[in-house]
Amino acid sequence: MPEHGGNLDLAVARFGGSAQDWIDLSTGINRQPYPVGELPPACWSALPSKSALDALHVAARKAYGTEAPIVATHGAQAAIQLLPQLCPAGKARILGPTYGEYAAVFSAAGLQVTETSDLDALAGADLAVVVNPNNPDGRRHHPDRLLALLPRVGRLVVDESFVDPVPGLSLASQAGRPGLLIIRSFGKFFGLAGMRLGFVIGEEADIAKLAAMVGPWPVSGAAIEIGARALSDRAWAQATSARLSRDSLRLDAQVAPLGWSLIGGTPLFRLYETGDERAAQDRLARGKIWSRIFVNHAGWLRLGLPGDEGEWARLSAALGKF
Amino acid sequence: MPEHGGNLDLAVARFGGSAQDWIDLSTGINRQPYPVGELPPACWSALPSKSALDALHVAARKAYGTEAPIVATHGAQAAIQLLPQLCPAGKARILGPTYGEYAAVFSAAGLQVTETSDLDALAGADLAVVVNPNNPDGRRHHPDRLLALLPRVGRLVVDESFVDPVPGLSLASQAGRPGLLIIRSFGKFFGLAGMRLGFVIGEEADIAKLAAMVGPWPVSGAAIEIGARALSDRAWAQATSARLSRDSLRLDAQVAPLGWSLIGGTPLFRLYETGDERAAQDRLARGKIWSRIFVNHAGWLRLGLPGDEGEWARLSAALGKF
């Protein structure tokens, strides 16, 4: 199973404390989450109704700017797990380096998997994957370039898990075109990763197949309630996008004196070349701040953004110890 | 897609009101749910950790009386959706009549599906399914009879979604035997169907395959927190089992004057022969009580148990109108 950010178990095992002591910047999850608020008891007790799920789909379509068929999944990861069933045999090509679960899930399902760093080399794949903007390096692809690739592959999966604060990059308005599948994550931008909610947007036949695979109750009552509420709150989304953009530059400025250089990033996370990623991670960990390093990429360290001023102060103190 | 209980959309469309106006007795979900209580904010904001998921598995194993490998799923339904991938081609035989999703999911996956009412006729199947106790008729199979069947099928799925209040029927202590897969539902007995939590217990190789299919975050942070708490609360489980057993007899007594006869049931629901299921459902619906009828079984009406005394009073008033 691939490594992941968000694995505080590892931080605790190596550096002590309990999970609550840590500021987890090892992911790209917004640390100022959408307020959960009051939940009606029926969210917990009743089977989620079809009408409530439909309302969630309507809210998601509106937020994402699409009228194409959509299906809610138990997190974006759950959508990834289903992809091999849409395309049970054949050549998968993944634009890398990127989120490790694509290669892991596809290989486990018996697909022939190639990773390439060249977008054009995806042509000819039965199943091509582009994460846009990319995790962990923030690499971006203009929607027109992806649309040009679309007819040259069987299916093009565009994972837009980190696109919310840079919506101009999204291909959601083009969803419905043959072969195009867009994956959206709810939990990263809205800071509610534990809730497990994601979406796939695509052409009718594929979305119908995915809907049959996830069954009648694909997401929890709480995910439906909170998801519909949050996705309809465009004022919160705009304010959050603006804050994340400012704060990502603040983070870059804060680490610059250490000689870390920005490789790339999104408003939700930054990837730095640190020269010595283990030393960098260890120093942050002594201040109980967890970060992400990558086995095959010496020097790289990925850092999410602190949430409130208390977290920024702890980061500043930890960085000061260098 | 098969019909289901819990479809209040249909009740509202046919008889009016809003979902909150209705008492939904169309399912076998306990209407006195386990108290959700306070949830730590990290349940929502953080990716569920491996250690928390492990703790949930430990609590479930203890509650179910097994030491066999186990995997949490996003509801028992999510487990059913995965079964065809364990057994991608072959003959599936289902002991019926029963929960409609087995036949629907297996057929959609291309399995050859037969339904039989004779337990011995399951022999020879690559994938055999027995719901014990059965939904909707409460039919029960002694664990020894199921163990005798086990070597005569490829895999035997025993769906124990309604076994919690009759734990003597459970085969969980035998899980780990080759070919045996046990599905448990959390939401029905604990009254938290909207939370989406279920489990599969079985031999190591199968559970490892299922764990790979569900991925690293199979259930929500709230499901892990509440699930672990509820499954460890054996006093609540014992009191609830006792109450459900009493209340199921109370329900039988309440409908007896109408001439409805008990076909069978469990402490969570009852199946009655009403003579005219549409008339029976309509009368209950006029009191905003929703029930379940079955297209292929004239006369049958399934009824869950009311929760508090207010609900019993409304049921009594609705029944009085006959």
Side-chain angles (χ1 to χ4, degrees):
Chain A
M1 207 171 272
E3 282 183 286
H4 291 286
N7 183 7
L8 278 183
D9 292 338
L10 186 60
V12 166
R14 282 183 52 201
F15 298 94
S18 67
Q20 301 93 283
D21 301 331
W22 286 79
I23 299 174
D24 187 3
L25 303 187
S26 71
T27 74
I29 301 165
N30 174 11
R31 290 185 65 80
Q32 295 205 22
Y34 191 81
V36 168
E38 289 291 303
L39 290 174
C43 270
W44 301 104
S45 57
L47 283 167
S49 71
K50 176 83 169 55
S51 58
L53 186 61
D54 289 346
L56 174 66
H57 287 157
V58 167
R61 272 201 203 95
K62 194 159 176 214
Y64 298 150
T66 182
E67 290 176 0
I70 190 167
V71 60
T73 59
H74 182 59
Q77 177 68 34
I80 296 171
Q81 303 278 156
L82 298 174
L83 293 175
Q85 288 183 74
L86 276 188
C87 187
K91 291 192 299 282
R93 292 186 189 156
I94 299 168
L95 192 69
T98 195
Y99 182 57
E101 286 284 342
Y102 283 101
V105 168
F106 292 179
S107 299
L111 294 178
Q112 180 195 324
V113 181
T114 318
E115 189 176 297
T116 172
S117 60
D118 173 9
L119 187 67
D120 288 322
L122 298 176
D126 299 301
L127 185 60
V129 176
V130 177
V131 180
N132 193 36
N134 191 43
N135 166 19
D137 62 6
R139 186 176 171 192
R140 294 164 189 225
H141 305 279
H142 192 282
D144 290 345
R145 283 215 61 197
L146 299 178
L147 289 178
L149 176 67
L150 181 57
R152 303 168 65 202
V153 299
R155 279 191 183 82
L156 176 61
V157 174
V158 182
D159 180 332
E160 298 187 343
S161 285
F162 292 99
V163 91
D164 296 65
V166 284
L169 272 190
S170 175
L171 268 175
S173 66
Q174 303 301 312
R177 292 192 185 212
L180 180 60
L181 283 169
I182 294 172
I183 295 183
R184 298 289 299 232
S185 163
F186 174 85
K188 294 172 186 74
F189 179 69
F190 289 97
L192 296 171
M195 204 181 82
R196 310 312 299 141
L197 178 62
F199 297 92
V200 189
I201 316 170
E203 61 179 316
E204 193 160 353
D206 279 349
I207 298 302
K209 278 183 212 160
L210 290 167
M213 288 176 210
V214 297
W217 306 290
V219 298
S220 67
I224 291 177
E225 175 78 18
I226 299 166
R229 223 185 268 167
L231 288 163
S232 304
D233 191 344
R234 301 320 291 160
W236 186 92
Q238 283 166 21
T240 296
S241 292
R243 177 183 59 78
L244 291 168
S245 293
R246 281 194 310 274
D247 280 0
S248 57
L249 301 179
R250 179 178 176 183
L251 186 60
D252 294 346
Q254 197 132 19
V255 305
L258 305 164
W260 298 3
S261 62
L262 183 70
I263 296 169
T266 77
L268 283 157
F269 63 81
R270 315 304 275 175
L271 183 69
Y272 299 110
E273 172 54 62
T274 63
D276 183 343
E277 78 286 357
R278 294 197 170 273
Q281 183 174 59
D282 288 3
R283 285 296 182 95
L284 287 165
R286 272 174 236 143
K288 294 276 189 294
I289 292 170
W290 194 228
S291 59
R292 173 77 199 278
I293 59 174
F294 299 83
V295 277
N296 295 321
H297 299 279
W300 288 15
L301 182 130
R302 192 186 65 196
L303 216 50
L305 310 190
D308 60 21
E309 285 304 319
E311 294 192 358
W312 281 99
R314 273 185 54 190
L315 177 67
S316 184
L319 291 173
K321 289 183 189 161
F322 275 83
Chain B
M1 207 171 269
E3 282 184 286
H4 292 285
N7 182 7
L8 278 184
D9 293 337
L10 186 60
V12 167
R14 281 184 52 200
F15 298 95
S18 67
Q20 301 93 285
D21 300 331
W22 285 79
I23 299 174
D24 188 2
L25 302 187
S26 71
T27 74
I29 301 165
N30 174 11
R31 290 186 64 82
Q32 294 205 22
Y34 190 81
V36 168
E38 289 290 303
L39 290 174
C43 269
W44 301 105
S45 58
L47 282 168
S49 72
K50 176 84 169 55
S51 58
L53 186 61
D54 289 346
L56 173 66
H57 287 158
V58 167
R61 272 202 202 94
K62 194 158 177 214
Y64 298 150
T66 182
E67 291 177 0
I70 190 167
V71 60
T73 59
H74 180 60
Q77 177 68 32
I80 296 171
Q81 303 278 155
L82 297 174
L83 292 174
Q85 289 183 73
L86 275 188
C87 188
K91 290 191 300 279
R93 291 185 190 157
I94 299 167
L95 192 68
T98 194
Y99 183 57
E101 287 284 341
Y102 283 102
V105 168
F106 292 178
S107 299
L111 294 178
Q112 181 195 324
V113 182
T114 318
E115 189 176 297
T116 171
S117 60
D118 174 10
L119 187 66
D120 288 321
L122 297 177
D126 300 299
L127 185 59
V129 176
V130 177
V131 181
N132 193 35
N134 191 42
N135 167 18
D137 63 4
R139 186 176 172 192
R140 293 165 188 224
H141 305 278
H142 192 283
D144 291 345
R145 283 215 60 198
L146 298 179
L147 288 177
L149 176 67
L150 182 59
R152 304 169 65 204
V153 299
R155 280 189 182 83
L156 176 61
V157 174
V158 182
D159 180 332
E160 298 187 342
S161 286
F162 292 98
V163 90
D164 296 65
V166 284
L169 272 191
S170 175
L171 268 175
S173 66
Q174 303 301 311
R177 293 193 185 210
L180 181 60
L181 282 169
I182 293 172
I183 294 183
R184 299 289 298 232
S185 163
F186 174 86
K188 295 172 184 74
F189 179 69
F190 288 97
L192 296 171
M195 205 181 81
R196 310 311 300 142
L197 179 62
F199 298 92
V200 188
I201 317 169
E203 61 178 316
E204 193 160 353
D206 279 349
I207 298 303
K209 278 182 213 162
L210 290 167
M213 288 178 212
V214 298
W217 307 290
V219 299
S220 68
I224 291 177
E225 175 78 19
I226 299 166
R229 222 185 268 166
L231 287 163
S232 304
D233 190 343
R234 303 320 291 160
W236 186 93
Q238 282 166 24
T240 296
S241 292
R243 177 183 59 78
L244 292 168
S245 294
R246 282 195 310 274
D247 281 359
S248 57
L249 302 180
R250 180 178 175 183
L251 186 61
D252 295 346
Q254 197 131 19
V255 305
L258 306 165
W260 298 3
S261 61
L262 183 70
I263 295 168
T266 76
L268 283 157
F269 63 82
R270 316 304 275 174
L271 183 68
Y272 300 110
E273 171 55 61
T274 63
D276 183 343
E277 79 286 358
R278 294 196 171 272
Q281 184 174 58
D282 289 2
R283 285 296 182 96
L284 287 164
R286 271 175 236 143
K288 294 276 188 294
I289 292 171
W290 194 229
S291 58
R292 173 80 198 275
I293 59 175
F294 299 83
V295 278
N296 295 321
H297 298 281
W300 287 15
L301 181 130
R302 192 184 66 195
L303 216 51
L305 311 189
D308 60 22
E309 285 303 320
E311 295 192 358
W312 282 99
R314 272 184 56 189
L315 177 68
S316 183
L319 292 173
K321 289 184 190 161
F322 276 83

